[in-house]
Amino acid sequence: MNEKKIIELKDIAVSFDGEPVLKNLNLSISDGEFVTLLGPSGCGKTTTLRIIAGFITPDSGDVFFEGKRVNDLPAYKRTVNTIFQRYALFPHLNVYENVAFGMRVQKKSNAEIEETVTKMLELVNLKGFEKRSVSKLSGGQQQRVAIARALANNPRVLLLDEPLAALDLKLRKDMQTELKNIQKSLGISFIYVTHDQEEALSMSDTVVVMDNGVIQQIGSPQDIYNEPENAFVADFIGESNILDGVMLEDYLVEFFGRKFKCLDAGFEPNEPVDVVIRPEDIDIVEPAKGHLTGLVTNVTFKGVHYDTIVDFKGFKWLIQTTDYYPEGSNIGIVLNPEDIHIMKKSAYSGMFGDYSSYSEEFDELGDAVAAAEAEEEAEE
Amino acid sequence: MKSRAAATPFALWMSIFTVVPMAIVVWFAFTDETGAFTMANIAQIWQYAGTYVDSIWMGALATVICLLLAYPVALSISRKSENMQRTMVMIVMLPMWMNFLLRTYAWMTLLENNGLINQFLRWIGVIGEGASLELINTDGAVVLGMVYNFLPFMILPLYSVMAKLDNRVIEAAQDLGSNNWQVFRRVILPLSAPGIVSGVTMVFVPAVSTFVISKLLGGSKNMMIGDVIETMFVGDGCNYNVGAALSLVLMVLMLLCMSLMRNVDNGEDELGGMMT
């Protein structure tokens, strides 16, 4: 990865039927970078990808490819290739011809095509599948054909539109590693669209968090997780307890009527802020020794840890701990300065980070809705 | 055994409506008036060889014209919004709800020597007063009638295959560098092949065996095989045995034509894949 910008989006705005989908989007992607566009369905991430691919012309703003404006360049002339949601393989062609498609269009010689197809099928572990009909392949195998087909065109940038969404968990994990390895070995840029935050964190060099057609934050996975810019990012990436606080002075914040040292500075004196405390950063101690004391109201075993819901003066926190504290026990917590992250107030303040309504059923219900929405988006 | 029992109604249906009538046709074709076996009917068929060839040629011509007209129409319908698609399919089907004879008679009044077209041409002075273009009673008029009547049968199967064409597959082809022509040749055309096969079947078969269109628009000198078969079953000189033999041979010839076309179609598919 180097600093050379390969794709730049400047002030992009798009609306469908008068509904704004992207508002003033600015984004640049370096050569060889693995960038993930992350956000809930309808946030505009797929639209952004389709603008880069050339399937959507923005209403305003410019798309640059290596410094050249390509707004009006049709998709087939762009040196980017796409791995589509649900693969979009050619049903009338076998595996070999699917992978060879781009080279046939470019009228490459048969020998060259054969060499490349063989190489690509080896890369995605599908050697020996050349003559198979694509409709007879499993989802994972179809996915691999789609990857081979896109890479056979030797793209400068590979666009991936939720490529693993249709695979089961185990296969998805394997493919994540494989995709990351392919990206590293080829050294080309990947622009990866997903709504799965874990996928984004584990694969990317840079994560672009989007909501509502607006980029909320751009940063490395560590930055995004440890230094979220607003309540939306803090909530969307991992679990967060988000509280109202007041920044008394640099490195000193007050919430729940107590003053805490923190590592953040640069706010106005007495500026109201959002305070983020990650559930895994909280240390549980005896009530007498704690900065705050609360009552355990719900415990769920999650394998590695317990999700413990603790009531602090009517505000429920999620604490993830490997120790078991039964429901009804009184506990104290200690917050170290590095456990506390301060964010400026935003439109998202107060919308996230309260676990008062927390329950297993609720969580699953939420996931089902998200899955249904993802389906709908895929249908479009 | 269960599946065999479940298939009984279908087998019964098939035997009553398909196998038995076919057997009767074969029976008539190979017997004389007394019911004795004879090859005489089949042997007579040679005198109609020219009519067979003409019929197949005109049917094929009408089919090709239908295909060329229907393909772009079906493709453009299939790319419209769903509401628009419904409306356009309705418009395509609308003429089919009007009586077939009525539509063919309408063409007669247009094409006649004193028909609307000739009157119009005289009026604008393209042809002299009293003169007329020979439009009716020509092969051209018959082919026109076939194309007009059978066009919806080509559009509908093509459309139904094209409507199922996944837009993402087209986008994938563009993404891999295909311009519009390449998308058409490498993706849309091969994927619409099943529609072409069924459309061609649905037009070619009735076109070859038609007798009304050729009778009304082709006049007495342009007999098609359908007309010959009709004379064998209706009127004074009728002969069921020769008629059955004629039908049997026509059926065999059409089956041959169709299987030939299917082979060409399959071959083209492979060719399309292999061509660089």
Side-chain angles (χ1 to χ4, degrees), chain A residues 44-282:
Chain A
K45 55 192 193 297
T46 297
T47 307
T48 308
L49 199 75
R50 289 171 62 80
I51 286 172
I52 298 171
F55 296 124
I56 297 176
T57 312
D59 299 341
S60 64
D62 295 311
V63 184
F64 294 96
F65 199 87
E66 295 187 306
K68 277 197 281 292
R69 187 175 176 276
V70 294
N71 282 33
D72 305 314
L73 200 67
Y76 76 91
K77 286 187 177 161
R78 297 194 184 189
T79 51
V80 299
N81 286 111
T82 308
I83 293 175
F84 291 85
Q85 221 168 27
R86 288 179 212 172
Y87 330 131
L89 298 177
F90 302 117
H92 59 298
L93 300 176
N94 62 20
V95 170
Y96 183 97
E97 287 303 327
N98 261 280
V99 178
F101 191 92
M103 290 179 285
R104 297 252 187 251
V105 169
Q106 291 166 35
K107 314 239 181 274
K108 296 261 173 71
S109 74
N110 272 331
E112 193 182 344
I113 290 173
E114 194 175 343
E115 193 195 315
T116 311
V117 172
T118 310
K119 205 174 84 192
M120 285 304 145
L121 288 180
E122 244 165 63
L123 185 73
V124 298
N125 286 322
L126 277 182
K127 226 173 133 189
F129 283 72
E130 286 84 352
K131 295 274 168 275
R132 292 276 189 99
S133 150
V134 290
S135 56
K136 299 232 167 65
L137 299 179
S138 70
Q141 289 166 336
Q142 292 189 14
Q143 176 64 72
R144 288 156 193 274
V145 176
I147 294 168
R149 182 178 72 173
L151 291 176
N153 256 26
N154 203 11
R156 297 289 309 278
V157 177
L158 188 67
L159 310 176
L160 304 99
D161 187 4
E162 307 229 13
L164 308 182
L167 304 182
D168 61 56
L169 186 68
K170 180 78 176 64
L171 201 55
R172 197 154 70 218
K173 298 270 177 215
D174 294 346
M175 287 301 293
Q176 284 175 14
T177 322
E178 244 177 271
L179 278 173
K180 184 69 196 165
N181 289 341
I182 290 171
Q183 189 260 339
K184 270 190 196 151
S185 68
L186 296 178
I188 62 173
S189 307
F190 273 33
I191 305 178
Y192 192 101
V193 162
T194 184
H195 63 266
D196 181 339
Q197 45 109 1
E198 203 195 320
E199 207 166 273
L201 294 180
S202 60
M203 297 171 83
S204 323
D205 298 318
T206 306
V207 178
V208 179
V209 185
M210 297 179 70
D211 185 47
N212 231 343
V214 176
I215 293 179
Q216 303 294 331
Q217 186 168 1
I218 303 178
S220 70
Q222 289 85 351
D223 286 348
I224 298 276
Y225 190 84
N226 294 329
E227 308 285 331
E229 258 166 39
N230 60 37
F232 174 81
V233 178
D235 181 74
F236 196 76
I237 317 289
E239 300 284 350
S240 302
N241 299 294
I242 305 174
L243 326 159
D244 281 329
V246 175
M247 200 69 184
L248 299 172
E249 57 190 74
D250 282 357
Y251 312 114
L252 190 67
V253 62
E254 184 187 312
F255 54 90
F256 279 167
R258 281 198 63 143
K259 289 168 190 163
F260 291 90
K261 284 192 173 159
C262 63
L263 304 175
D264 299 82
F267 295 87
E268 300 288 314
N270 295 321
E271 184 179 335
V273 290
D274 285 337
V275 180
V276 179
I277 297 161
R278 293 289 185 185
E280 72 276 17
D281 289 340
I282 301 167

Side-chain angles (χ1 to χ4, degrees), chain B residues 108-208:
Chain B
M108 278 175 79
T109 64
L110 288 171
L111 298 175
E112 272 168 355
N113 289 348
N114 280 317
L116 284 176
I117 294 174
N118 272 317
Q119 280 180 31
F120 178 74
L121 290 176
R122 268 176 233 140
W123 182 65
I124 61 167
V126 173
I127 52 175
E129 205 61 41
S132 54
L133 280 184
E134 199 175 320
L135 298 173
I136 202 154
N137 301 340
T138 58
D139 282 356
V142 177
V143 172
L144 174 76
M146 290 187 201
V147 170
Y148 178 75
N149 278 310
F150 299 134
L151 191 59
F153 296 98
M154 184 65 89
I155 294 178
L156 292 178
L158 279 174
Y159 160 76
S160 72
V161 168
M162 288 168 177
K164 282 190 232 117
L165 225 153
D166 188 348
N167 206 40
R168 276 173 300 203
V169 172
I170 293 174
E171 279 186 357
Q174 290 171 339
D175 188 75
L176 291 164
S178 316
N179 59 28
N180 287 343
W181 165 247
Q182 287 161 326
V183 170
F184 174 75
R185 205 185 76 58
R186 291 180 176 277
V187 178
I188 297 176
L189 191 62
L191 285 179
S192 58
I196 297 176
V197 171
S198 57
V200 165
T201 312
M202 286 179 71
V203 172
F204 180 71
V205 172
V208 169

Side-chain angles (χ1 to χ4, degrees), chain B residues 49-104:
Chain B
T51 315
Y52 274 115
V53 171
D54 280 355
S55 299
I56 289 173
W57 161 244
M58 280 169 56
L61 189 65
T63 307
V64 168
I65 295 171
C66 274
L67 180 61
L68 293 178
L69 291 175
Y71 200 93
V73 174
L75 189 60
S76 78
I77 295 176
S78 73
R79 300 293 98 187
K80 297 276 190 298
S81 75
E82 238 167 77
N83 270 331
M84 194 65 186
Q85 285 187 29
R86 265 196 291 276
T87 313
M88 291 177 81
V89 168
M90 193 70 146
I91 291 171
V92 167
M93 290 197 343
L94 212 56
M96 288 166 68
W97 298 347
M98 224 176 299
N99 187 280
F100 169 78
L101 274 175
L102 190 79
R103 280 180 283 146
T104 311

Side-chain angles (χ1 to χ4, degrees), chain A residues 278-326:
Chain A
R278 293 289 185 185
E280 72 276 17
D281 289 340
I282 301 167
D283 299 322
I284 298 182
V285 294
E286 284 170 37
K289 291 183 187 164
H291 293 150
L292 295 169
T293 56
L295 180 73
V296 176
T297 60
N298 187 297
V299 183
T300 313
F301 180 57
K302 289 286 188 177
V304 178
H305 64 262
Y306 293 93
D307 270 1
T308 309
I309 302 292
V310 185
D311 190 337
F312 294 99
K313 300 177 182 175
F315 194 93
K316 288 186 179 170
W317 291 27
L318 172 67
I319 299 175
Q320 289 172 341
T321 165
T322 49
D323 299 322
Y324 176 65
Y325 296 93

